[in-house]
């Protein structure tokens, strides 16, 4: 899976450099939608997340399965488990210091 992920990443980077693949959004697009409170916009869908996306229709069936397994793993580790850790830390701070005020900021990713 690691070799597959590295190869797919390299192929995507080569396509970007060659101009045959373009990112469907820019950092400015993300900032604009965030500032406008447009968090339900299509710009924040699966394709724009910080989780690498190796799934595409051009892959043979066995490679598509590998890509889906990697996608599930990244989402579990980089998003869901991260959110659980952050939630526990926030809860612990609030319980440990009930008389203090806190400010927590979370990204849209």
């Amino acid at each position: 899976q690691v070799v597959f992920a590295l190869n797919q990443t390299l192929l995507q980077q080569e396509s970007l450099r060659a101009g045959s693949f373009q990112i469907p959004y820019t950092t400015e697009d993300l900032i604009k939608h965030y500032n406008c409170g447009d968090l339900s916009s299509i710009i924040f869908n699966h394709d724009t997340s910080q989780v690498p996306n190796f799934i595409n229709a051009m892959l043979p069936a066995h490679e598509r399965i590998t890509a889906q397994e990697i996608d599930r793993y990244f989402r579990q580790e980089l998003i869901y488990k991260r959110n659980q850790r952050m939630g526990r830390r926030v809860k612990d701070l609030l319980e440990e210091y009930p008389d203090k005020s806190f400010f927590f900021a979370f990204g849209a990713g």
Side-chain angles (χ1 to χ4, degrees):
Q1 286 181 342
V2 172
V3 171
F4 174 83
L6 288 172
N7 282 334
Q8 290 301 308
T9 301
L10 290 173
L11 287 171
Q12 286 178 6
Q13 291 301 312
E14 289 169 356
S15 295
L16 278 170
R17 285 188 181 178
S20 59
F21 175 74
Q22 292 185 347
I23 296 174
Y25 62 93
T26 65
T27 301
E28 289 79 20
D29 293 331
L30 294 174
I31 292 168
K32 179 182 134 205
H33 284 273
Y34 180 82
N35 285 337
C36 291
D38 192 10
L39 298 181
S40 63
S41 170
I42 192 71
I43 201 147
F44 285 105
N45 73 9
H46 178 277
D47 293 334
T48 62
S49 72
Q50 296 300 310
V51 178
N53 184 13
F54 302 120
I55 302 169
N56 74 57
M58 304 302 289
L59 292 174
H62 70 282
E63 288 185 358
R64 204 169 20 248
I65 291 169
T66 300
Q68 290 168 338
E69 290 170 354
I70 292 170
D71 183 72
R72 277 192 297 275
Y73 173 79
F74 277 142
R75 289 193 175 284
Q76 185 65 35
E77 295 299 318
L78 298 180
I79 294 178
Y80 302 128
K81 286 187 179 180
R82 176 207 62 184
N83 290 350
Q84 291 172 347
R85 277 191 309 275
M86 284 192 306
R88 276 193 303 272
R89 289 174 182 163
V90 166
K91 179 182 167 285
D92 291 346
L93 281 170
L94 294 172
E95 288 176 350
E96 187 174 348
Y97 304 101
D99 298 330
K100 292 206 178 233
S101 293
F102 292 91
F103 173 81
F104 300 101
F106 303 95

